[in-house]
Amino acid sequence: MEFIDLRSDTFTQPTVEMRKAMAEAECGDDVWDEDITVKHLEGLAAEKTGKDAAIFTASGTMSNLIAILTWCDRGTEIVVGDQAHIFWNEGGGVSALGGVSVRTVPNTPRGGMDPLDVEEAIRRQNITSMIGLENTHNRGSGGVLTMDETESIAKIGRAKGIPIHLDGARIFNASVALDVPVKDLCSPVDSVSFCLSKGLSAPIGSLLCGSKEFVDDARKWRKMVGGGMRQVGVIASAGLVALDTMVERLAEDHANATSLAKGLSDITGINLNTDLIESNIVIFEWMLGPTAEFIERLSQKGLKASYVGGQKIRMVTHVGISTWDIDRAIKIVGETANTPL
Ligand SMILES: Cc1ncc(COP(=O)(O)O)c(C=O)c1O
């Protein structure tokens, strides 16, 4: 059966142009600083995020971990939203590997945080060592943080001398959704990580960007977590194609997510606030039965979705999903919802 796969934008395949670039990539030993394709990608990432420097990593999780290891001493604490990817989905690396504890403050439904909550969560005596933001917000239905929202938290960090790290795994989605350059969205923060392997369709890779001093230090931590890679221009070359060719088209994914959300919200048994859908992630609640069983029934009809927790189901649009797929997905959900067990 041909599936409509809405589980995640991480299921995107490298494009033909990426595969060609990978075959032809100029490589060197990147641990020895001799891979010019990686250098090119790191330079471009720094330019796009408006930071001095960048370092290529294997994944978004690794980028966030390296940011934490770089900013935070053992025994300190970071402040993040209670729905943050760093808190939910990164294997607890912050504590297991960093010796750092996590203090959470409530996330709004679209992934923001109340500056008053953040301010209140900061401890005295230099215990709070980093504040983490996420844009777009994965568990927050792909909510997009505006520059003002980011600044409202960043200024608390600045006033107290606490660095702000932005988990910008999908920062290019945020940029396209707001029509604001990535570098403006990143200007209030001290470090930012972003992923090439999600909506941008590259097979592997993330970049961690910040000041030169921060990135020099991050290089040491990347080596320690086993993230020093050798002829890695082979994959960095796909990242260069991703940044060159796959950013503007994210608007199509956002339009598809909006249509999907609208269609789903009309189906009896589905609880979905369409106002929350700002990029390519649609999260809704299935109210008329067990969620896992509903996802399984969708899958039997050719539609894959992912389980978020409780009654929540997630569908993510990406380059592999057409408007036809969206219409079909809405139809499958409607038929499944209307079919008694
Ligand atoms: C917001 C966010 N941050 C970080 C990551 C981690 O990225 P990776 O899967 O490359 O480790 C993800 C992955 O889905 C994500 O959604």
Side-chain angles (χ1 to χ4, degrees), residues 183-200:
K183 70 162 155 271
D184 290 356
L185 296 177
C186 298
S187 68
V189 305
D190 301 287
S191 60
V192 54
S193 57
F194 72 84
C195 293
L196 299 163
S197 57
K198 304 204 160 56
L200 299 182

Side-chain angles (χ1 to χ4, degrees), residues 34-74:
E34 287 186 14
D35 190 305
I36 59 167
T37 308
V38 172
K39 292 289 150 222
H40 185 177
L41 178 63
E42 289 175 342
L44 187 62
E47 189 188 311
K48 298 255 181 217
T49 56
K51 302 298 175 201
D52 295 339
I55 178 169
F56 189 47
T57 70
S59 67
T61 301
M62 184 183 275
S63 270
N64 285 334
L65 175 65
I66 293 171
I68 290 160
L69 294 171
T70 306
W71 287 126
C72 311
D73 289 335
R74 294 183 78 79

Side-chain angles (χ1 to χ4, degrees), residues 221-298:
W221 292 109
R222 185 184 68 172
K223 185 80 178 112
M224 191 180 291
V225 297
M229 299 183 278
R230 303 295 175 173
Q231 285 68 29
V232 72
V234 169
I235 50 178
S237 57
L240 285 166
V241 175
L243 290 177
D244 193 33
T245 63
M246 300 302 284
V247 173
E248 277 172 31
R249 63 147 311 283
L250 292 173
E252 290 169 35
D253 301 342
H254 299 177
N256 280 340
T258 303
S259 310
L260 176 66
K262 163 116 204 19
L264 295 178
S265 69
D266 290 337
I267 296 169
T268 305
I270 283 184
N271 190 9
L272 194 164
N273 178 357
T274 54
D275 290 345
L276 291 179
I277 311 308
E278 299 177 337
S279 60
N280 69 329
I281 300 179
V282 176
I283 294 180
F284 59 91
E285 290 176 309
W286 168 240
M287 306 306 289
L288 300 181
T291 319
E293 177 266 327
F294 190 66
I295 291 173
E296 177 52 32
R297 285 166 67 207
L298 294 177

Side-chain angles (χ1 to χ4, degrees), residues 56-137:
F56 189 47
T57 70
S59 67
T61 301
M62 184 183 275
S63 270
N64 285 334
L65 175 65
I66 293 171
I68 290 160
L69 294 171
T70 306
W71 287 126
C72 311
D73 289 335
R74 294 183 78 79
T76 61
E77 182 172 273
I78 63 169
V79 174
V80 294
D82 62 359
Q83 299 301 310
H85 197 274
I86 285 178
F87 180 55
W88 275 83
N89 302 105
E90 300 189 5
V94 53
S95 305
L97 304 173
V100 172
S101 61
V102 182
R103 175 90 177 260
T104 58
V105 301
N107 269 129
T108 64
R110 43 184 288 282
M113 292 190 282
D114 185 331
L116 290 177
D117 288 338
V118 173
E119 200 149 12
E120 230 172 71
I122 290 170
R123 294 187 197 265
R124 279 180 257 161
Q125 296 165 329
N126 299 329
I127 289 173
T128 306
S129 50
M130 192 192 95
I131 299 169
L133 294 172
E134 189 174 313
N135 195 12
T136 65
H137 203 283

